[in-house]
Amino acid sequence: MNIDFEKLAQKYNTPLYVYDFDSIAQNYNALKDAFAGKKSLINYAIKANSNLSLIAHLASLGAGADCVSIGEVKRALLAGVNRYKIIFSGVGKRDEEMQEALKLDILLLNLESEAEMVRLEGVAKELGMKARISIRVNPNINPKTHPYISTGLHENKFGVDIESAKRMYIYAKRSEYLDPIGIHFHIGSQMLDIEPLKEAAIIVADLAKTLKALEIDIRFFDVGGGIGVRYDDEITIDPKEYVAAIEEATKKLDVTILCEPGRSLVANSGWFVTRVLYEKNNEGKRFVVVDGAMNDLLRPSLYGAYHKIEALKDGTKKSKADVVGPVCESGDFLGKDVLLPQLEHGDLLVVHSAGAYGFSMASNYNTRNRSAEVALQNEEEMLIRKRECFEDLIALEKEYLDALSLKEE
Ligand code: LLP
């Protein structure tokens, strides 16, 4: 698609996130179509990009939501996601979060330990409610991805092993306050190979069969998220191949398939636009200093993740440069050894594949305002989050400073 980044940068200033809502719809519909004719629900993983308008866009297409905090649950509801399409996961839910989720009457809470289950039972009892639950099973499968985003091995903190899961389901079935209706796994993110997912699905489907035999009525089979995307030249899992693998693993089970894609719906529909501040050369090492930084897009610094960076300006003579931000950390870079033409103050760089885990992982480190976010849809543009200003950043502290100075007077 042809986006006039220069025009957008002039209008909204930089650094700036830009999303193509039409491309997000295409990604969603491709997956939806692959599931055609099967009982299924796509629960968009809000953590990938939690902008309200973006969630609303996916909700309008029929998406549900996968949430990891009560804040995300509330975002999903506010954006118009149907409550019976919302699930709430996460290894460490607080009592208040459980209470609120139960009162909000969402589809289910996904549990990650026995201790958490007992806690939820207590919370539900207090409210006089029966909590619909699923249990996250850790099938001990290596998803062959970056260790920081690999979650399906016993060495990871997520989920419970098969035997514990079985015990938990038996306990839950007997409880007056728990209603075990689902089973869940998620083995990792940015997966490029379907095999680990298939293996995990087979293991978990076996457990679901055993549970059904024990008259535990598993109605939802949740395969998590994790479909990889192309950042560079990766070849990833095709939606049809994905659905076929899940179908094969669950063919003898009468269940609704849930899946929780985040990255694959939004990553390549987003760009991070930043302006060049300066060029500098430290004894032969070339740096391009830009106005975007690790606080805006953390993935390169945190995971050494690759994002393609392009200069809008064409230049014949290109050489390698590190693209770095103004944050006072050596780890503050957006790209290393990027082939770029000679650049001047004000030139624009576009960082690709920034729609997932970009803005949602941004922070105010170094008292930097978080970027604005703009969406494009049907050839129209709309601001979906305005740029923060200094007053926003100090809003929760200012009154205490004022009180302090009053005391001192
Ligand atoms: N479901 C569960 C239980 C998850 O933990 C995750 C991601 C997803 C779904 C969505 O996975 P996806 O389809 O996006 O791969 N910040 C990292 C990614 C962390 C993923 C955490 N969990 C990154 O920037 O690569």
Side-chain angles (χ1 to χ4, degrees):
M1 111 160 254
N2 238 344
I3 301 174
D4 191 345
F5 288 111
E6 187 61 64
K7 190 182 104 195
L8 294 172
Q10 266 172 32
K11 183 160 171 190
Y12 299 103
N13 212 339
T14 54
L16 179 71
Y17 274 97
V18 178
Y19 309 121
D20 177 356
F21 275 14
D22 298 319
S23 136
I24 293 174
Q26 270 171 24
N27 296 336
Y28 176 84
N29 288 328
L31 189 56
K32 186 86 212 152
D33 292 348
F35 273 114
K38 300 169 187 81
K39 284 190 287 180
S40 64
L41 176 60
I42 300 173
N43 288 304
Y44 167 57
I46 303 268
K47 62 173 86 76
N49 186 325
S50 34
N51 183 285
L52 287 172
S53 304
L54 188 146
I55 302 170
H57 176 51
L58 281 164
S60 75
L61 300 169
D66 164 46
C67 306
V68 282
S69 68
I70 197 70
E72 286 192 351
V73 171
K74 288 192 208 167
R75 269 184 188 269
L77 286 168
L78 194 63
V81 179
N82 180 313
R83 67 180 69 250
Y84 299 120
K85 290 184 178 177
I86 297 179
I87 64 177
F88 182 12
S89 290
V91 284
K93 301 181 201 73
R94 299 160 52 92
D95 285 7
E96 301 89 280
E97 289 188 293
M98 293 179 180
Q99 266 162 12
E100 245 185 300
L102 289 179
K103 286 188 197 153
L104 290 170
D105 194 26
I106 59 173
L107 177 62
L108 56 84
L109 280 91
N110 188 31
L111 300 179
E112 303 220 15
S113 64
E114 298 198 56
E116 189 188 22
M117 179 177 67
V118 174
R119 197 86 211 162
L120 176 66
E121 186 184 33
V123 170
K125 185 174 178 186
E126 239 169 62
L127 294 174
M129 295 175 82
K130 196 159 187 160
R132 290 183 292 275
I133 61 160
S134 65
I135 292 171
R136 178 167 180 172
V137 180
N138 184 330
N140 200 25
I141 296 285
N142 188 344
K144 300 186 201 144
T145 183
H146 191 292
Y148 280 18
I149 48 178
S150 148
T151 46
L153 282 168
H154 286 162
E155 67 197 56
N156 300 122
K157 70 176 174 179
F158 298 98
V160 295
D161 60 69
I162 303 275
E163 279 315 305
S164 313
K166 224 185 274 173
R167 267 202 314 276
M168 284 172 72
Y169 277 108
I170 291 169
Y171 179 97
K173 183 178 161 55
R174 288 191 192 134
S175 166
E176 240 179 282
Y177 305 101
L178 298 170
D179 186 10
I181 60 167
I183 192 158
H184 173 277
F185 67 94
H186 167 86
I187 57 173
S189 199
Q190 184 55 13
M191 286 187 291
L192 301 169
D193 183 357
I194 191 73
E195 282 310 315
L197 212 131
K198 214 188 229 170
E199 261 179 71
I202 290 170
I203 293 173
V204 178
D206 264 356
L207 173 59
K209 277 174 214 154
T210 310
L211 297 174
K212 287 221 183 208
L214 294 170
E215 288 178 358
I216 297 166
D217 187 17
I218 301 297
R219 279 169 275 158
F220 296 96
F221 189 90
D222 187 339
V223 299
I227 305 174
V229 302
R230 173 174 289 198
Y231 285 100
D232 188 4
D233 54 5
E234 300 91 333
I235 295 176
T236 184
I237 302 166
D238 174 76
K240 289 206 177 78
E241 177 192 17
Y242 177 72
V243 172
I246 296 166
E247 227 201 336
E248 172 67 24
T250 55
K251 64 184 172 212
K252 292 203 182 108
L253 278 171
D254 179 23
V255 284
T256 297
I257 305 293
L258 304 185
C259 63
E260 308 167 348
R263 190 189 317 263
S264 55
L265 297 185
V266 293
N268 280 325
S269 310
W271 296 265
F272 179 62
V273 185
T274 178
R275 275 202 199 279
V276 172
L277 296 174
Y278 314 107
E279 281 252 9
K280 68 185 274 184
N281 212 302
N282 283 352
E283 297 191 2
K285 172 94 187 162
R286 181 183 172 208
F287 292 97
V288 174
V289 185
V290 295
D291 63 3
M294 65 186 288
N295 76 295
D296 301 299
L297 179 62
L298 184 61
R299 304 192 71 255
S301 302
L302 188 59
Y303 312 116
Y306 169 82
H307 284 257
K308 180 173 150 194
I309 302 181
E310 245 180 332
L312 284 194
K313 174 178 171 183
D314 237 356
T316 40
K317 249 184 73 191
K318 291 188 176 171
S319 68
K320 284 184 180 170
D322 284 6
V323 177
V324 300
V327 164
C328 56
E329 301 264 354
S330 301
D332 176 27
F333 64 92
L334 298 176
K336 293 211 156 162
D337 292 329
V338 188
L339 214 49
L340 291 169
Q342 202 57 38
L343 295 162
E344 282 161 38
H345 188 92
D347 284 341
L348 278 187
L349 295 186
V350 176
V351 184
H352 290 247
S353 315
Y357 306 108
F359 189 95
S360 64
M361 291 174 77
S363 78
N364 294 117
Y365 187 40
N366 281 200
T367 304
R368 286 171 53 85
N369 306 332
R370 280 178 298 173
S371 321
E373 294 176 288
V374 170
L376 308 170
Q377 188 173 18
N378 293 329
E379 321 259 306
E380 279 185 35
E381 75 195 41
M382 50 201 171
L383 185 64
I384 55 171
R385 181 181 166 112
K386 65 180 170 199
R387 185 175 303 285
E388 285 174 340
C389 63
F390 177 66
E391 284 66 32
D392 295 328
L393 269 55
I394 59 162
L396 304 177
E397 301 162 43
K398 182 68 171 48
E399 62 184 289
Y400 304 107
L401 178 68
D402 295 344
L404 213 60
S405 33
L406 275 179
K407 231 187 269 171
E408 278 166 10
E409 266 169 22

